[in-house]
Amino acid sequence: MANSDEFEKFISAEELEQRIAELGAQISADYAGKDLLLIAVLKGSVIFLADLMRNITVPHSVDFMATSSYGSSTETSGIVRIVKDLTMSITGRNVLIVEDIIDTGHTLHYLLRFLKAREPREIRIVTLLDKRERREVDIEVDYVGFVIPNAFVIGYGLDFDEMYRNLPYIAIPKEGFFGSEVE
Ligand code: 5GP
């Protein structure tokens, strides 16, 4: 298992906490007196969801989906598969999709089409991280935590090979990290 000198802290726990409080306050104001259903995309967004929910002061429900993209773990291929569907109906509801990171945008583009077919009242998107310069399809994002440059990041829910989701901050692996052996 690689240790912490193999990656660099990029967004600290304190910065995450502060920004998520701001996002929560903004979302609470925007949805005051309205219906709200959060849809989190597993697995990367669970830590963000848990912190965001506790900063949203208006009543809301939550449901989960899981997607997988064909291709390697560090590159998205644009072909998306739904591996876990919602348990609740979204017809007529105000849906807020909770994402960990938007990179090329292919995953969300597919997901939006899939969810819109069920005729929700409205769909908005909140993402913790936005790698805007990597976008290949146009997506309107309503709430963004941090716009980040084109680097592979781990921690705070985001994995490398299913590991490192537990880091309480966002980190960028240093050179040599991807080749490191798990002991
Ligand atoms: P997109 O379809 O927008 O290209 O990719 C979205 C998905 O790719 C994210 O939900 C995430 O699973 C994965 N991804 C994209 N960039 C990163 C990154 O820097 N780190 C990690 N761990 N996953 C990423």
Side-chain angles (χ1 to χ4, degrees), residues 1 15 25 27 66 68 118 124 142 147 165 167 171 178:
M1 168 102 173
E15 288 171 300
I27 290 166
S68 84
R118 294 180 180 176
R124 291 191 197 176
D142 302 276
V147 175
R165 295 190 196 274
L167 293 178
F178 296 109

Side-chain angles (χ1 to χ4, degrees), residues 86-136:
L86 299 168
T87 57
M88 299 167 81
S89 165
I90 61 165
T91 307
R93 303 217 48 191
N94 292 332
V95 168
L96 179 60
I97 299 176
V98 180
E99 264 286 16
D100 49 356
I101 188 164
I102 307 176
D103 185 18
T104 63
H106 286 295
T107 307
L108 256 183
H109 182 75
Y110 179 86
L111 210 60
L112 280 171
R113 253 202 351 223
F114 180 84
L115 294 175
K116 277 179 183 165
R118 294 180 180 176
E119 300 184 342
R121 188 166 180 275
E122 179 197 83
I123 302 188
R124 291 191 197 176
I125 297 164
V126 54
T127 187
L128 179 64
L129 305 174
D130 184 356
K131 278 195 216 174
R132 207 161 278 179
E133 68 187 62
R134 290 259 304 163
R135 204 74 92 247
E136 289 174 11

Side-chain angles (χ1 to χ4, degrees), residues 18 32 37 60 65 67 92 134 138 148 166:
Q18 198 197 328
L37 168 61
H60 60 275
M65 290 193 76
T67 59
R134 290 259 304 163
D138 216 15
I148 64 166
N166 58 314

